Amino acid sequence: MGGEIAAEDDVPMSHSIEPELRKLNMPTNLVKGKITLENPYTVCEGGKPLDSRQTTLLKRFGVATAEFTVQLQA
């Protein structure tokens, strides 16, 4: 979950999504049925626009990048 929750509470991703992550340019491998990164990888940086690949990765990892509020006028 991108560091959003403690490692012991995190749920491993299914091995079946590894090809999708590779298509999104993440340097991944399967090692004994677990998805692993070959190299450190930054999905996005603060203040820079996101492309569709980055938004798909953030959604897959469950990371919210914005907060929205509503102010009632009447």
Side-chain angles (χ1 to χ4, degrees), residues 13-67:
M13 298 183 119
S14 170
H15 70 281
S16 61
I17 68 158
E18 194 270 338
E20 178 186 347
L21 296 176
R22 226 177 314 131
K23 285 180 185 176
L24 295 169
N25 296 330
M26 281 192 79
T28 60
N29 274 335
L30 278 178
V31 177
K32 297 181 182 179
K34 292 184 179 181
I35 301 172
T36 59
L37 279 174
E38 295 174 1
N39 304 308
Y41 183 78
T42 302
V43 175
C44 62
E45 295 178 15
K48 294 186 178 180
L50 299 174
D51 62 25
S52 62
R53 176 187 58 82
Q54 292 168 312
T55 58
T56 301
L57 286 170
L58 291 172
K59 182 178 177 183
R60 175 60 73 179
F61 294 128
V63 178
T65 59
E67 292 182 20

Side-chain angles (χ1 to χ4, degrees), residues 67-74:
E67 292 182 20
F68 295 92
T69 61
V70 177
Q71 295 179 348
L72 296 176
Q73 297 290 324

Side-chain angles (χ1 to χ4, degrees), residues 1 3-12:
M1 299 297 285
E4 298 282 322
I5 61 174
E8 58 271 4
D9 296 330
D10 204 358
V11 178

